[in-house]
Short mmCIF file of all heavy atoms in Angstrom, two decimals:
data_model
loop_
_atom_site.label_atom_id
_atom_site.label_comp_id
_atom_site.label_asym_id
_atom_site.label_seq_id
_atom_site.Cartn_x
_atom_site.Cartn_y
_atom_site.Cartn_z
N ALA A 89 0.83 -39.94 164.45
CA ALA A 89 -0.49 -40.58 164.32
C ALA A 89 -1.30 -39.89 163.29
O ALA A 89 -2.06 -40.46 162.52
CB ALA A 89 -1.14 -40.58 165.68
N LEU A 90 -1.22 -38.53 163.25
CA LEU A 90 -2.03 -37.73 162.21
C LEU A 90 -1.56 -38.01 160.90
O LEU A 90 -2.42 -38.02 159.92
CB LEU A 90 -1.86 -36.23 162.64
CG LEU A 90 -2.59 -35.77 163.86
CD1 LEU A 90 -2.28 -34.31 164.23
CD2 LEU A 90 -4.19 -35.87 163.65
N ILE A 91 -0.26 -38.15 160.59
CA ILE A 91 0.19 -38.48 159.30
C ILE A 91 -0.38 -39.85 158.86
O ILE A 91 -0.89 -39.94 157.73
CB ILE A 91 1.79 -38.44 159.18
CG1 ILE A 91 2.29 -37.00 159.45
CG2 ILE A 91 2.29 -38.89 157.81
CD1 ILE A 91 3.77 -36.95 159.55
N TRP A 92 -0.22 -40.85 159.70
CA TRP A 92 -0.79 -42.09 159.38
C TRP A 92 -2.29 -42.08 159.07
O TRP A 92 -2.77 -42.73 158.19
CB TRP A 92 -0.54 -43.07 160.57
CG TRP A 92 0.85 -43.68 160.53
CD1 TRP A 92 1.69 -43.77 161.67
CD2 TRP A 92 1.48 -44.49 159.61
NE1 TRP A 92 2.79 -44.36 161.40
CE2 TRP A 92 2.72 -44.88 160.14
CE3 TRP A 92 1.09 -44.84 158.28
CZ2 TRP A 92 3.58 -45.64 159.32
CZ3 TRP A 92 2.04 -45.59 157.52
CH2 TRP A 92 3.26 -46.02 158.14
N LYS A 93 -3.00 -41.23 159.88
CA LYS A 93 -4.41 -41.09 159.64
C LYS A 93 -4.74 -40.60 158.26
O LYS A 93 -5.61 -41.05 157.63
CB LYS A 93 -5.02 -40.25 160.77
CG LYS A 93 -6.55 -40.16 160.68
CD LYS A 93 -7.09 -39.49 161.99
CE LYS A 93 -8.60 -39.43 161.91
NZ LYS A 93 -9.16 -38.75 163.12
N GLY A 94 -3.95 -39.56 157.91
CA GLY A 94 -4.12 -38.97 156.59
C GLY A 94 -3.81 -39.98 155.42
O GLY A 94 -4.48 -39.87 154.38
N LEU A 95 -2.87 -40.76 155.64
CA LEU A 95 -2.38 -41.78 154.60
C LEU A 95 -3.50 -42.92 154.52
O LEU A 95 -3.67 -43.44 153.36
CB LEU A 95 -1.07 -42.36 154.96
CG LEU A 95 0.14 -41.41 154.87
CD1 LEU A 95 1.31 -42.02 155.53
CD2 LEU A 95 0.37 -41.10 153.39
N LYS A 96 -4.06 -43.25 155.59
CA LYS A 96 -4.92 -44.51 155.67
C LYS A 96 -6.41 -44.16 155.51
O LYS A 96 -7.24 -45.03 155.08
CB LYS A 96 -4.67 -45.25 156.92
CG LYS A 96 -3.34 -45.84 157.03
CD LYS A 96 -3.11 -46.57 158.40
CE LYS A 96 -1.76 -47.18 158.50
NZ LYS A 96 -1.54 -47.86 159.78
N ASN A 97 -6.85 -42.95 155.82
CA ASN A 97 -8.22 -42.59 155.90
C ASN A 97 -8.43 -41.45 155.00
O ASN A 97 -8.45 -40.27 155.37
CB ASN A 97 -8.62 -42.31 157.34
CG ASN A 97 -10.19 -42.12 157.43
OD1 ASN A 97 -10.89 -41.91 156.44
ND2 ASN A 97 -10.65 -42.15 158.67
N ARG A 98 -8.59 -41.71 153.69
CA ARG A 98 -8.80 -40.61 152.67
C ARG A 98 -10.08 -39.85 152.88
O ARG A 98 -10.24 -38.72 152.57
CB ARG A 98 -8.66 -41.17 151.30
CG ARG A 98 -7.33 -41.77 150.92
CD ARG A 98 -6.19 -40.67 151.27
NE ARG A 98 -4.82 -41.22 151.10
CZ ARG A 98 -4.16 -41.04 149.98
NH1 ARG A 98 -4.58 -40.35 148.97
NH2 ARG A 98 -2.88 -41.51 149.94
N ARG A 99 -11.11 -40.52 153.47
CA ARG A 99 -12.34 -39.81 153.74
C ARG A 99 -12.13 -38.73 154.74
O ARG A 99 -12.60 -37.63 154.49
CB ARG A 99 -13.43 -40.86 154.26
CG ARG A 99 -14.79 -40.21 154.56
CD ARG A 99 -15.60 -41.08 155.44
NE ARG A 99 -14.94 -41.35 156.71
CZ ARG A 99 -14.92 -40.44 157.81
NH1 ARG A 99 -15.44 -39.25 157.61
NH2 ARG A 99 -14.26 -40.79 158.91
N TRP A 100 -11.43 -39.05 155.85
CA TRP A 100 -11.10 -38.00 156.78
C TRP A 100 -10.27 -36.94 156.19
O TRP A 100 -10.49 -35.80 156.43
CB TRP A 100 -10.47 -38.69 157.96
CG TRP A 100 -9.92 -37.71 159.04
CD1 TRP A 100 -10.58 -37.05 160.01
CD2 TRP A 100 -8.60 -37.09 159.09
NE1 TRP A 100 -9.81 -36.21 160.72
CE2 TRP A 100 -8.56 -36.30 160.16
CE3 TRP A 100 -7.38 -37.42 158.37
CZ2 TRP A 100 -7.38 -35.61 160.56
CZ3 TRP A 100 -6.25 -36.78 158.73
CH2 TRP A 100 -6.23 -35.83 159.83
N LEU A 101 -9.25 -37.34 155.38
CA LEU A 101 -8.27 -36.41 154.82
C LEU A 101 -9.02 -35.34 153.94
O LEU A 101 -8.68 -34.13 153.85
CB LEU A 101 -7.25 -37.11 153.97
CG LEU A 101 -6.16 -36.31 153.40
CD1 LEU A 101 -5.31 -35.76 154.65
CD2 LEU A 101 -5.26 -37.15 152.48
N SER A 102 -10.08 -35.74 153.21
CA SER A 102 -10.80 -34.89 152.31
C SER A 102 -11.84 -34.04 153.00
O SER A 102 -12.45 -33.23 152.39
CB SER A 102 -11.37 -35.68 151.11
OG SER A 102 -12.32 -36.59 151.65
N HIS A 103 -12.10 -34.34 154.24
CA HIS A 103 -13.18 -33.63 154.96
C HIS A 103 -12.67 -32.31 155.52
O HIS A 103 -11.50 -32.18 156.00
CB HIS A 103 -13.72 -34.52 156.15
CG HIS A 103 -14.73 -33.86 156.90
ND1 HIS A 103 -15.95 -33.58 156.39
CD2 HIS A 103 -14.82 -33.44 158.26
CE1 HIS A 103 -16.80 -33.04 157.35
NE2 HIS A 103 -16.01 -32.87 158.48
N ASP A 104 -13.55 -31.30 155.59
CA ASP A 104 -13.21 -29.97 156.06
C ASP A 104 -11.89 -29.56 155.53
O ASP A 104 -11.70 -29.49 154.20
CB ASP A 104 -13.20 -30.05 157.58
CG ASP A 104 -13.24 -28.65 158.26
OD1 ASP A 104 -13.94 -27.75 157.71
OD2 ASP A 104 -12.50 -28.42 159.25
N GLN A 105 -10.91 -29.09 156.36
CA GLN A 105 -9.65 -28.70 155.84
C GLN A 105 -8.46 -29.64 156.33
O GLN A 105 -7.34 -29.30 156.46
CB GLN A 105 -9.35 -27.25 156.28
CG GLN A 105 -10.28 -26.27 155.77
CD GLN A 105 -9.79 -24.85 156.23
OE1 GLN A 105 -8.58 -24.45 156.14
NE2 GLN A 105 -10.79 -24.03 156.53
N ASN A 106 -8.90 -30.91 156.47
CA ASN A 106 -7.92 -31.92 157.07
C ASN A 106 -6.76 -32.18 156.05
O ASN A 106 -5.74 -32.76 156.44
CB ASN A 106 -8.62 -33.21 157.35
CG ASN A 106 -9.59 -33.06 158.54
OD1 ASN A 106 -9.47 -32.12 159.32
ND2 ASN A 106 -10.65 -33.96 158.63
N ILE A 107 -6.99 -31.85 154.80
CA ILE A 107 -5.97 -32.04 153.75
C ILE A 107 -4.69 -31.34 154.08
O ILE A 107 -3.62 -31.83 153.72
CB ILE A 107 -6.45 -31.57 152.38
CG1 ILE A 107 -5.51 -31.96 151.24
CG2 ILE A 107 -6.72 -30.02 152.39
CD1 ILE A 107 -5.57 -33.41 150.93
N TYR A 108 -4.76 -30.34 154.95
CA TYR A 108 -3.56 -29.57 155.36
C TYR A 108 -2.73 -30.29 156.41
O TYR A 108 -1.60 -30.05 156.60
CB TYR A 108 -3.87 -28.19 155.86
CG TYR A 108 -4.44 -27.20 154.82
CD1 TYR A 108 -5.87 -27.18 154.72
CD2 TYR A 108 -3.70 -26.48 154.07
CE1 TYR A 108 -6.36 -26.26 153.82
CE2 TYR A 108 -4.19 -25.59 153.17
CZ TYR A 108 -5.63 -25.54 153.00
OH TYR A 108 -6.10 -24.61 152.06
N ILE A 109 -3.43 -31.16 157.20
CA ILE A 109 -2.82 -31.68 158.40
C ILE A 109 -1.57 -32.49 158.25
O ILE A 109 -0.59 -32.26 158.98
CB ILE A 109 -3.89 -32.46 159.20
CG1 ILE A 109 -4.98 -31.48 159.73
CG2 ILE A 109 -3.27 -33.24 160.34
CD1 ILE A 109 -6.15 -32.10 160.53
N PRO A 110 -1.49 -33.40 157.30
CA PRO A 110 -0.16 -34.14 157.15
C PRO A 110 0.99 -33.19 156.84
O PRO A 110 2.07 -33.39 157.31
CB PRO A 110 -0.44 -35.05 155.98
CG PRO A 110 -1.95 -35.34 156.01
CD PRO A 110 -2.51 -34.02 156.40
N TYR A 111 0.71 -32.21 156.01
CA TYR A 111 1.76 -31.22 155.65
C TYR A 111 2.24 -30.51 157.01
O TYR A 111 3.43 -30.44 157.30
CB TYR A 111 1.27 -30.15 154.69
CG TYR A 111 2.27 -28.97 154.55
CD1 TYR A 111 3.28 -29.00 153.70
CD2 TYR A 111 1.99 -27.86 155.23
CE1 TYR A 111 4.16 -27.90 153.55
CE2 TYR A 111 2.78 -26.68 155.17
CZ TYR A 111 3.85 -26.80 154.32
OH TYR A 111 4.72 -25.79 154.25
N TYR A 112 1.30 -29.97 157.77
CA TYR A 112 1.64 -29.22 159.01
C TYR A 112 2.35 -30.19 159.96
O TYR A 112 3.31 -29.79 160.62
CB TYR A 112 0.38 -28.66 159.62
CG TYR A 112 -0.12 -27.45 158.94
CD1 TYR A 112 -1.50 -27.21 158.65
CD2 TYR A 112 0.81 -26.38 158.54
CE1 TYR A 112 -1.90 -26.10 158.06
CE2 TYR A 112 0.36 -25.23 158.00
CZ TYR A 112 -1.06 -25.09 157.74
OH TYR A 112 -1.47 -23.93 157.09
N ALA A 113 1.88 -31.36 160.07
CA ALA A 113 2.41 -32.38 161.06
C ALA A 113 3.88 -32.62 160.73
O ALA A 113 4.77 -32.62 161.57
CB ALA A 113 1.64 -33.65 160.98
N ALA A 114 4.24 -32.89 159.37
CA ALA A 114 5.58 -33.19 158.99
C ALA A 114 6.45 -31.92 159.15
O ALA A 114 7.67 -32.08 159.52
CB ALA A 114 5.67 -33.72 157.57
#
Side-chain angles (χ1 to χ4, degrees):
L90 286 171
I91 295 174
W92 278 125
K93 187 172 182 177
L95 290 168
K96 295 177 179 179
N97 189 342
R98 295 306 174 101
R99 180 198 59 78
W100 172 83
L101 188 66
S102 61
H103 179 69
D104 194 37
Q105 297 186 40
N106 294 340
I107 188 71
Y108 295 93
I109 290 178
Y111 167 84
Y112 283 134

